[in-house]
């Protein structure tokens, strides 16, 4: 098989609108700043991620409802992690809020509890944060023999068994996830650094937008490379153009 054919076999074939494959992280301190960014991005972005920073403001759920009313999709990246019954109760509260995706951490019993209550919400299991490398795993007490890739794979298997719709993993592990688990899980990849001027920041397992999709990601999550760009709209449009090109066949 030619390298091109091998790559195209990994390319996501899920029926996802092309312009929804880019999820923009609204990591800003206030809902009004989020609204301003959404206005600026206009129809270049259809899918937004609302995370912990905005959760700690008064307007998280109002903003979520506004985005849904505008026809946007919302990924609630709240990374629930608690005893199974509390996680189940939290998912029950969350499922009628209009979000499409929700992240949950933890072991199989926690993920099972979340999936029991998910309704139409898609549950994404967090595998290993994209800001983590081997040293961070050691810091958490994992033995030296455990690699990031093995841990991502093992957690993704658990997520699948628990009934999750997908996982969060860096594009670096997407290839292996596709090889070992096929296409059943949605793979959502943050840690995307699309442009030449790769930022020096906390993300360690990074890839470009194109690389992540060629490795098998269904969606990419992009925060700072868009938010901090001289023109966020141009940055988003550039990524959408890459997506349109990658998925053109
Ligand atoms: O700014 P940047 O593009 O690094 O933003 C990535 C977003 O994805 C952040 O909102 C971060 O919380 C989130 N995320 C991540 N790694 C995960 C899960 C979520 O970077 N495993």
């Amino acid at each position: 098989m030619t390298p091109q054919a091998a790559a195209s076999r990994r390319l996501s074939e899920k029926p996802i609108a092309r312009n929804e494959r880019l999820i923009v992280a609204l990591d800003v301190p206030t809902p009004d700043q989020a609204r301003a960014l959404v206005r600026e991005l206009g129809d270049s972005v259809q899918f937004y991620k609302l995370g912990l920073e905005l959760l700690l403001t008064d307007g998280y759920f109002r903003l979520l409802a506004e985005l849904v009313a505008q026809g946007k999709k919302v990924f609630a990246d709240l990374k629930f992690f608690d005893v199974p019954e509390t996680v189940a109760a939290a998912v029950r509260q969350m499922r009628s809020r209009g979000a499409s995706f929700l992240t949950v951490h933890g072991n199989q019993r926690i993920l099972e509890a979340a999936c029991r209550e998910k309704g139409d919400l898609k549950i994404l299991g967090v595998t290993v944060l994209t800001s983590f490398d081997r040293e961070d795993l050691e810091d958490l007490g994992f033995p030296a023999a455990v690699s990031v890739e093995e841990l991502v794979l093992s957690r993704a298997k658990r997520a699948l068994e628990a009934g999750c719709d997908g996982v969060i993993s860096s594009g670096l592990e997407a290839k292996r996830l596709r090889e070992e688990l096929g296409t059943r899980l949605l793979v959502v990849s943050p840690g995307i650094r699309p442009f030449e001027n790769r930022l020096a920041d906390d993300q360690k397992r990074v890839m470009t937008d194109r690389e992540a999709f060629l490795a098998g990601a269904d969606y990419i999550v992009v925060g700072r490379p868009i938010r901090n760009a001289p023109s966020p709209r141009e940055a988003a449009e550039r990524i959408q153009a890459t997506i349109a090109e990658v998925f053109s066949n």
Side-chain angles (χ1 to χ4, degrees):
M1 199 186 315
T2 65
Q4 288 86 345
S8 64
R9 274 168 57 121
R10 280 199 297 271
L11 203 61
S12 166
E13 289 177 357
K14 299 209 177 68
I16 299 166
R18 277 182 207 165
N19 64 358
E20 290 181 3
R21 290 186 182 272
L22 166 65
I23 304 177
V24 172
L26 290 173
D27 291 332
V28 290
T30 68
D32 279 344
Q33 281 168 272
R35 287 185 186 98
L37 186 53
V38 170
R39 264 196 307 276
E40 180 171 359
L41 293 171
D43 57 12
S44 68
V45 176
Q46 296 305 318
F47 210 150
Y48 285 102
K49 185 172 88 70
L50 298 181
L52 292 175
E53 188 173 3
L54 281 172
L55 181 68
L56 301 186
T57 66
D58 287 333
Y60 186 89
F61 290 105
R62 198 171 328 126
L63 179 63
L64 196 167
E66 279 171 28
L67 289 170
V68 172
Q70 287 171 37
K72 306 291 184 191
K73 288 196 168 171
V74 174
F75 166 8
D77 186 17
L78 302 179
K79 298 189 177 70
F80 287 175
F81 182 51
D82 209 314
V83 296
E85 281 316 306
T86 301
V87 167
V91 172
R92 215 159 38 236
Q93 297 278 50
M94 199 59 211
R95 72 182 176 203
S96 56
R97 293 294 195 155
S100 301
F101 293 172
L102 171 71
T103 36
V104 177
H105 261 291
N107 66 357
Q108 192 158 353
R109 283 190 50 221
I110 296 174
L111 295 175
E112 276 167 5
C115 293
R116 206 170 62 224
E117 298 292 343
K118 72 190 174 91
D120 291 335
L121 195 54
K122 286 193 165 38
I123 301 291
L124 305 178
V126 178
T127 55
V128 178
L129 293 177
T130 42
S131 60
F132 277 15
D133 62 11
R134 215 352 298 151
E135 270 179 38
D136 294 298
L137 293 189
E138 253 176 81
D139 182 31
L140 281 176
F142 285 92
V146 177
S147 70
V148 169
E149 191 179 274
E150 289 302 329
L151 188 57
V152 169
L153 187 63
S154 131
R155 298 196 70 168
K157 281 184 183 155
R158 294 297 176 113
L160 189 62
E161 282 164 21
C164 287
D165 299 279
V167 291
I168 309 289
S169 103
S170 95
L172 296 173
E173 293 92 34
K175 179 171 166 287
R176 182 89 190 273
L177 290 178
R178 287 284 173 244
E179 282 164 5
E180 306 258 346
L181 302 179
T183 55
R184 284 171 297 167
L185 281 173
L186 289 172
V187 175
V188 180
S189 297
I192 302 297
R193 294 294 172 261
F195 311 123
E196 309 71 47
N197 55 337
R198 291 199 174 192
L199 311 166
D201 58 33
D202 55 354
Q203 297 284 25
K204 293 177 183 159
R205 303 197 330 278
V206 299
M207 260 191 167
T208 68
D209 43 359
R210 183 184 301 270
E211 286 166 339
F213 284 118
L214 291 178
D218 294 294
Y219 295 88
I220 56 169
V221 175
V222 183
R224 287 163 286 187
I226 288 180
R227 194 190 71 213
N228 297 342
S231 164
R233 174 137 195 160
E234 266 176 40
E237 283 171 352
R238 210 162 132 188
I239 296 171
Q240 292 289 21
T242 303
I243 293 173
E245 194 192 311
V246 170
F247 288 93
S248 62
N249 301 315

PDB file of all heavy atoms in Angstrom, residues 25 27 49 77 79 126-131 168-169 190-193 201-203 221-225 227, ligand 1:
ATOM      1  N   ALA A  25     -11.822  26.262  21.284  1.00  0.00           N
ATOM      2  CA  ALA A  25     -11.913  26.374  22.751  1.00  0.00           C
ATOM      3  C   ALA A  25     -12.083  27.845  23.126  1.00  0.00           C
ATOM      4  O   ALA A  25     -11.224  28.669  22.813  1.00  0.00           O
ATOM      5  CB  ALA A  25     -10.637  25.821  23.381  1.00  0.00           C
ATOM      6  N   ASP A  27     -11.483  29.663  25.682  1.00  0.00           N
ATOM      7  CA  ASP A  27     -10.777  29.787  26.965  1.00  0.00           C
ATOM      8  C   ASP A  27     -10.514  31.265  27.236  1.00  0.00           C
ATOM      9  O   ASP A  27      -9.411  31.774  26.964  1.00  0.00           O
ATOM     10  CB  ASP A  27      -9.454  29.005  26.916  1.00  0.00           C
ATOM     11  CG  ASP A  27      -9.684  27.504  26.861  1.00  0.00           C
ATOM     12  OD1 ASP A  27     -10.715  27.032  27.364  1.00  0.00           O
ATOM     13  OD2 ASP A  27      -8.832  26.797  26.305  1.00  0.00           O
ATOM     14  N   LYS A  49     -15.974  24.894  22.329  1.00  0.00           N
ATOM     15  CA  LYS A  49     -15.720  24.169  23.580  1.00  0.00           C
ATOM     16  C   LYS A  49     -15.767  25.166  24.736  1.00  0.00           C
ATOM     17  O   LYS A  49     -15.065  26.182  24.719  1.00  0.00           O
ATOM     18  CB  LYS A  49     -14.344  23.495  23.523  1.00  0.00           C
ATOM     19  CG  LYS A  49     -14.054  22.637  24.730  1.00  0.00           C
ATOM     20  CD  LYS A  49     -12.784  21.846  24.532  1.00  0.00           C
ATOM     21  CE  LYS A  49     -11.546  22.584  24.980  1.00  0.00           C
ATOM     22  NZ  LYS A  49     -11.415  22.758  26.420  1.00  0.00           N
ATOM     23  N   ASP A  77     -16.466  20.943  28.180  1.00  0.00           N
ATOM     24  CA  ASP A  77     -15.239  20.257  28.613  1.00  0.00           C
ATOM     25  C   ASP A  77     -15.069  20.476  30.110  1.00  0.00           C
ATOM     26  O   ASP A  77     -14.283  21.305  30.547  1.00  0.00           O
ATOM     27  CB  ASP A  77     -14.048  20.817  27.826  1.00  0.00           C
ATOM     28  CG  ASP A  77     -12.758  20.064  28.116  1.00  0.00           C
ATOM     29  OD1 ASP A  77     -12.828  18.935  28.647  1.00  0.00           O
ATOM     30  OD2 ASP A  77     -11.683  20.604  27.798  1.00  0.00           O
ATOM     31  N   LYS A  79     -14.626  17.888  32.374  1.00  0.00           N
ATOM     32  CA  LYS A  79     -13.746  16.842  32.933  1.00  0.00           C
ATOM     33  C   LYS A  79     -14.232  16.365  34.298  1.00  0.00           C
ATOM     34  O   LYS A  79     -13.517  16.442  35.292  1.00  0.00           O
ATOM     35  CB  LYS A  79     -12.304  17.360  33.035  1.00  0.00           C
ATOM     36  CG  LYS A  79     -11.701  17.731  31.681  1.00  0.00           C
ATOM     37  CD  LYS A  79     -10.214  18.024  31.787  1.00  0.00           C
ATOM     38  CE  LYS A  79      -9.571  18.317  30.452  1.00  0.00           C
ATOM     39  NZ  LYS A  79      -9.967  19.598  29.856  1.00  0.00           N
ATOM     40  N   VAL A 126     -11.510  11.225  28.963  1.00  0.00           N
ATOM     41  CA  VAL A 126     -10.183  11.852  28.857  1.00  0.00           C
ATOM     42  C   VAL A 126      -9.162  10.724  29.025  1.00  0.00           C
ATOM     43  O   VAL A 126      -9.249   9.937  29.968  1.00  0.00           O
ATOM     44  CB  VAL A 126      -9.979  12.928  29.953  1.00  0.00           C
ATOM     45  CG1 VAL A 126      -8.580  13.523  29.867  1.00  0.00           C
ATOM     46  CG2 VAL A 126     -11.036  14.021  29.821  1.00  0.00           C
ATOM     47  N   THR A 127      -8.218  10.616  28.097  1.00  0.00           N
ATOM     48  CA  THR A 127      -7.213   9.542  28.231  1.00  0.00           C
ATOM     49  C   THR A 127      -6.035  10.076  29.040  1.00  0.00           C
ATOM     50  O   THR A 127      -5.967   9.880  30.250  1.00  0.00           O
ATOM     51  CB  THR A 127      -6.781   9.016  26.843  1.00  0.00           C
ATOM     52  OG1 THR A 127      -6.319  10.092  26.046  1.00  0.00           O
ATOM     53  CG2 THR A 127      -7.901   8.279  26.164  1.00  0.00           C
ATOM     54  N   VAL A 128      -5.123  10.779  28.368  1.00  0.00           N
ATOM     55  CA  VAL A 128      -3.983  11.396  29.058  1.00  0.00           C
ATOM     56  C   VAL A 128      -3.892  12.831  28.548  1.00  0.00           C
ATOM     57  O   VAL A 128      -3.871  13.036  27.326  1.00  0.00           O
ATOM     58  CB  VAL A 128      -2.661  10.656  28.744  1.00  0.00           C
ATOM     59  CG1 VAL A 128      -1.470  11.336  29.434  1.00  0.00           C
ATOM     60  CG2 VAL A 128      -2.751   9.190  29.168  1.00  0.00           C
ATOM     61  N   LEU A 129      -3.888  13.798  29.432  1.00  0.00           N
ATOM     62  CA  LEU A 129      -3.881  15.196  29.006  1.00  0.00           C
ATOM     63  C   LEU A 129      -2.743  15.437  28.017  1.00  0.00           C
ATOM     64  O   LEU A 129      -1.642  14.890  28.179  1.00  0.00           O
ATOM     65  CB  LEU A 129      -3.715  16.135  30.209  1.00  0.00           C
ATOM     66  CG  LEU A 129      -4.874  16.172  31.209  1.00  0.00           C
ATOM     67  CD1 LEU A 129      -4.525  17.084  32.388  1.00  0.00           C
ATOM     68  CD2 LEU A 129      -6.165  16.619  30.554  1.00  0.00           C
ATOM     69  N   THR A 130      -3.016  16.294  27.024  1.00  0.00           N
ATOM     70  CA  THR A 130      -1.982  16.539  25.998  1.00  0.00           C
ATOM     71  C   THR A 130      -0.830  17.386  26.545  1.00  0.00           C
ATOM     72  O   THR A 130       0.182  17.563  25.875  1.00  0.00           O
ATOM     73  CB  THR A 130      -2.584  17.201  24.744  1.00  0.00           C
ATOM     74  OG1 THR A 130      -3.511  18.199  25.154  1.00  0.00           O
ATOM     75  CG2 THR A 130      -3.293  16.190  23.887  1.00  0.00           C
ATOM     76  N   SER A 131      -0.992  17.905  27.744  1.00  0.00           N
ATOM     77  CA  SER A 131       0.123  18.641  28.362  1.00  0.00           C
ATOM     78  C   SER A 131       1.055  17.683  29.118  1.00  0.00           C
ATOM     79  O   SER A 131       2.040  18.100  29.699  1.00  0.00           O
ATOM     80  CB  SER A 131      -0.423  19.698  29.332  1.00  0.00           C
ATOM     81  OG  SER A 131      -1.175  19.055  30.345  1.00  0.00           O
ATOM     82  N   ILE A 168     -10.680  11.729  24.299  1.00  0.00           N
ATOM     83  CA  ILE A 168      -9.788  12.842  23.998  1.00  0.00           C
ATOM     84  C   ILE A 168      -8.379  12.254  23.975  1.00  0.00           C
ATOM     85  O   ILE A 168      -7.962  11.623  24.952  1.00  0.00           O
ATOM     86  CB  ILE A 168      -9.835  13.926  25.108  1.00  0.00           C
ATOM     87  CG1 ILE A 168     -11.270  14.344  25.435  1.00  0.00           C
ATOM     88  CG2 ILE A 168      -8.971  15.118  24.708  1.00  0.00           C
ATOM     89  CD1 ILE A 168     -11.932  15.145  24.383  1.00  0.00           C
ATOM     90  N   SER A 169      -7.698  12.448  22.870  1.00  0.00           N
ATOM     91  CA  SER A 169      -6.308  11.996  22.834  1.00  0.00           C
ATOM     92  C   SER A 169      -5.553  12.890  21.866  1.00  0.00           C
ATOM     93  O   SER A 169      -6.158  13.479  20.969  1.00  0.00           O
ATOM     94  CB  SER A 169      -6.220  10.541  22.363  1.00  0.00           C
ATOM     95  OG  SER A 169      -5.805  10.450  21.036  1.00  0.00           O
ATOM     96  N   PRO A 190      -6.985  17.582  21.031  1.00  0.00           N
ATOM     97  CA  PRO A 190      -6.438  18.911  21.317  1.00  0.00           C
ATOM     98  C   PRO A 190      -4.918  18.882  21.148  1.00  0.00           C
ATOM     99  O   PRO A 190      -4.377  17.907  20.633  1.00  0.00           O
ATOM    100  CB  PRO A 190      -6.828  19.158  22.774  1.00  0.00           C
ATOM    101  CG  PRO A 190      -7.208  17.821  23.340  1.00  0.00           C
ATOM    102  CD  PRO A 190      -7.130  16.798  22.253  1.00  0.00           C
ATOM    103  N   GLY A 191      -4.264  19.963  21.553  1.00  0.00           N
ATOM    104  CA  GLY A 191      -2.807  20.003  21.393  1.00  0.00           C
ATOM    105  C   GLY A 191      -2.467  20.230  19.932  1.00  0.00           C
ATOM    106  O   GLY A 191      -1.477  19.705  19.414  1.00  0.00           O
ATOM    107  N   ILE A 192      -3.278  20.995  19.240  1.00  0.00           N
ATOM    108  CA  ILE A 192      -3.050  21.272  17.819  1.00  0.00           C
ATOM    109  C   ILE A 192      -2.280  22.584  17.695  1.00  0.00           C
ATOM    110  O   ILE A 192      -2.662  23.608  18.264  1.00  0.00           O
ATOM    111  CB  ILE A 192      -4.403  21.386  17.058  1.00  0.00           C
ATOM    112  CG1 ILE A 192      -5.219  20.100  17.214  1.00  0.00           C
ATOM    113  CG2 ILE A 192      -4.156  21.731  15.590  1.00  0.00           C
ATOM    114  CD1 ILE A 192      -4.601  18.854  16.631  1.00  0.00           C
ATOM    115  N   ARG A 193      -1.180  22.520  16.980  1.00  0.00           N
ATOM    116  CA  ARG A 193      -0.383  23.725  16.746  1.00  0.00           C
ATOM    117  C   ARG A 193      -0.230  23.844  15.234  1.00  0.00           C
ATOM    118  O   ARG A 193       0.712  23.330  14.648  1.00  0.00           O
ATOM    119  CB  ARG A 193       0.976  23.616  17.472  1.00  0.00           C
ATOM    120  CG  ARG A 193       0.827  23.605  18.990  1.00  0.00           C
ATOM    121  CD  ARG A 193       0.289  24.945  19.485  1.00  0.00           C
ATOM    122  NE  ARG A 193      -0.050  24.959  20.918  1.00  0.00           N
ATOM    123  CZ  ARG A 193      -1.268  24.821  21.423  1.00  0.00           C
ATOM    124  NH1 ARG A 193      -2.308  24.631  20.622  1.00  0.00           N
ATOM    125  NH2 ARG A 193      -1.479  24.895  22.719  1.00  0.00           N
ATOM    126  N   ASP A 201       4.376  26.707  25.021  1.00  0.00           N
ATOM    127  CA  ASP A 201       3.363  26.744  26.080  1.00  0.00           C
ATOM    128  C   ASP A 201       3.336  25.413  26.812  1.00  0.00           C
ATOM    129  O   ASP A 201       4.296  24.656  26.766  1.00  0.00           O
ATOM    130  CB  ASP A 201       1.994  27.152  25.511  1.00  0.00           C
ATOM    131  CG  ASP A 201       1.522  26.211  24.390  1.00  0.00           C
ATOM    132  OD1 ASP A 201       1.842  25.020  24.462  1.00  0.00           O
ATOM    133  OD2 ASP A 201       0.860  26.684  23.456  1.00  0.00           O
ATOM    134  N   ASP A 202       2.203  25.113  27.470  1.00  0.00           N
ATOM    135  CA  ASP A 202       2.160  23.911  28.297  1.00  0.00           C
ATOM    136  C   ASP A 202       1.864  22.631  27.515  1.00  0.00           C
ATOM    137  O   ASP A 202       1.961  21.542  28.064  1.00  0.00           O
ATOM    138  CB  ASP A 202       1.117  24.094  29.417  1.00  0.00           C
ATOM    139  CG  ASP A 202      -0.273  24.458  28.877  1.00  0.00           C
ATOM    140  OD1 ASP A 202      -0.403  24.684  27.657  1.00  0.00           O
ATOM    141  OD2 ASP A 202      -1.204  24.520  29.686  1.00  0.00           O
ATOM    142  N   GLN A 203       1.483  22.727  26.255  1.00  0.00           N
ATOM    143  CA  GLN A 203       1.178  21.514  25.500  1.00  0.00           C
ATOM    144  C   GLN A 203       2.475  20.830  25.077  1.00  0.00           C
ATOM    145  O   GLN A 203       3.377  21.472  24.550  1.00  0.00           O
ATOM    146  CB  GLN A 203       0.346  21.842  24.251  1.00  0.00           C
ATOM    147  CG  GLN A 203      -1.021  22.432  24.550  1.00  0.00           C
ATOM    148  CD  GLN A 203      -2.031  21.392  25.029  1.00  0.00           C
ATOM    149  OE1 GLN A 203      -1.657  20.345  25.573  1.00  0.00           O
ATOM    150  NE2 GLN A 203      -3.291  21.676  24.878  1.00  0.00           N
ATOM    151  N   VAL A 221      -9.435  20.159  18.502  1.00  0.00           N
ATOM    152  CA  VAL A 221      -9.770  21.269  19.400  1.00  0.00           C
ATOM    153  C   VAL A 221      -8.622  22.270  19.329  1.00  0.00           C
ATOM    154  O   VAL A 221      -7.457  21.901  19.529  1.00  0.00           O
ATOM    155  CB  VAL A 221      -9.909  20.776  20.863  1.00  0.00           C
ATOM    156  CG1 VAL A 221     -10.135  21.957  21.802  1.00  0.00           C
ATOM    157  CG2 VAL A 221     -11.052  19.775  20.983  1.00  0.00           C
ATOM    158  N   VAL A 222      -8.952  23.514  19.026  1.00  0.00           N
ATOM    159  CA  VAL A 222      -7.914  24.543  18.910  1.00  0.00           C
ATOM    160  C   VAL A 222      -8.303  25.739  19.776  1.00  0.00           C
ATOM    161  O   VAL A 222      -9.411  26.261  19.654  1.00  0.00           O
ATOM    162  CB  VAL A 222      -7.745  24.997  17.441  1.00  0.00           C
ATOM    163  CG1 VAL A 222      -6.599  26.009  17.326  1.00  0.00           C
ATOM    164  CG2 VAL A 222      -7.489  23.808  16.526  1.00  0.00           C
ATOM    165  N   GLY A 223      -7.395  26.120  20.649  1.00  0.00           N
ATOM    166  CA  GLY A 223      -7.644  27.275  21.515  1.00  0.00           C
ATOM    167  C   GLY A 223      -6.733  28.428  21.176  1.00  0.00           C
ATOM    168  O   GLY A 223      -7.021  29.260  20.309  1.00  0.00           O
ATOM    169  N   ARG A 224      -5.567  28.465  21.825  1.00  0.00           N
ATOM    170  CA  ARG A 224      -4.668  29.612  21.692  1.00  0.00           C
ATOM    171  C   ARG A 224      -4.234  29.947  20.263  1.00  0.00           C
ATOM    172  O   ARG A 224      -4.145  31.132  19.934  1.00  0.00           O
ATOM    173  CB  ARG A 224      -3.447  29.420  22.614  1.00  0.00           C
ATOM    174  CG  ARG A 224      -3.824  29.623  24.073  1.00  0.00           C
ATOM    175  CD  ARG A 224      -2.811  29.061  25.021  1.00  0.00           C
ATOM    176  NE  ARG A 224      -2.865  27.601  25.064  1.00  0.00           N
ATOM    177  CZ  ARG A 224      -2.184  26.844  25.899  1.00  0.00           C
ATOM    178  NH1 ARG A 224      -1.357  27.415  26.756  1.00  0.00           N
ATOM    179  NH2 ARG A 224      -2.304  25.545  25.901  1.00  0.00           N
ATOM    180  N   PRO A 225      -3.961  28.958  19.394  1.00  0.00           N
ATOM    181  CA  PRO A 225      -3.530  29.344  18.041  1.00  0.00           C
ATOM    182  C   PRO A 225      -4.582  30.195  17.312  1.00  0.00           C
ATOM    183  O   PRO A 225      -4.241  30.945  16.410  1.00  0.00           O
ATOM    184  CB  PRO A 225      -3.325  27.999  17.336  1.00  0.00           C
ATOM    185  CG  PRO A 225      -2.999  27.053  18.441  1.00  0.00           C
ATOM    186  CD  PRO A 225      -3.859  27.497  19.597  1.00  0.00           C
ATOM    187  N   ARG A 227      -7.256  32.002  19.247  1.00  0.00           N
ATOM    188  CA  ARG A 227      -7.547  33.144  20.135  1.00  0.00           C
ATOM    189  C   ARG A 227      -6.426  34.184  20.113  1.00  0.00           C
ATOM    190  O   ARG A 227      -6.685  35.379  20.108  1.00  0.00           O
ATOM    191  CB  ARG A 227      -7.728  32.612  21.568  1.00  0.00           C
ATOM    192  CG  ARG A 227      -8.343  33.587  22.511  1.00  0.00           C
ATOM    193  CD  ARG A 227      -8.246  33.051  23.925  1.00  0.00           C
ATOM    194  NE  ARG A 227      -6.886  33.074  24.422  1.00  0.00           N
ATOM    195  CZ  ARG A 227      -6.367  32.181  25.267  1.00  0.00           C
ATOM    196  NH1 ARG A 227      -7.077  31.162  25.684  1.00  0.00           N
ATOM    197  NH2 ARG A 227      -5.122  32.291  25.673  1.00  0.00           N
TER     198      ARG A 227
HETATM  199  O1  LIG B   1      -4.946  26.550  23.627  1.00  0.00           O
HETATM  200  P1  LIG B   1      -4.942  25.102  23.232  1.00  0.00           P
HETATM  201  O2  LIG B   1      -5.111  24.904  21.739  1.00  0.00           O
HETATM  202  O3  LIG B   1      -3.799  24.341  23.834  1.00  0.00           O
HETATM  203  O4  LIG B   1      -6.288  24.550  23.892  1.00  0.00           O
HETATM  204  C1  LIG B   1      -6.552  23.210  24.029  1.00  0.00           C
HETATM  205  C2  LIG B   1      -7.826  23.036  24.801  1.00  0.00           C
HETATM  206  O5  LIG B   1      -8.081  21.653  24.903  1.00  0.00           O
HETATM  207  C3  LIG B   1      -7.776  23.597  26.218  1.00  0.00           C
HETATM  208  O6  LIG B   1      -9.064  24.159  26.454  1.00  0.00           O
HETATM  209  C4  LIG B   1      -7.586  22.379  27.103  1.00  0.00           C
HETATM  210  O7  LIG B   1      -8.281  22.495  28.312  1.00  0.00           O
HETATM  211  C5  LIG B   1      -8.219  21.279  26.271  1.00  0.00           C
HETATM  212  N1  LIG B   1      -7.748  19.919  26.488  1.00  0.00           N
HETATM  213  C6  LIG B   1      -6.435  19.517  26.309  1.00  0.00           C
HETATM  214  N2  LIG B   1      -6.058  18.221  26.556  1.00  0.00           N
HETATM  215  C7  LIG B   1      -6.959  17.330  26.946  1.00  0.00           C
HETATM  216  C8  LIG B   1      -8.309  17.721  27.123  1.00  0.00           C
HETATM  217  C9  LIG B   1      -8.661  19.032  26.866  1.00  0.00           C
HETATM  218  O8  LIG B   1      -5.597  20.345  25.915  1.00  0.00           O
HETATM  219  N3  LIG B   1      -6.611  16.067  27.123  1.00  0.00           N
END
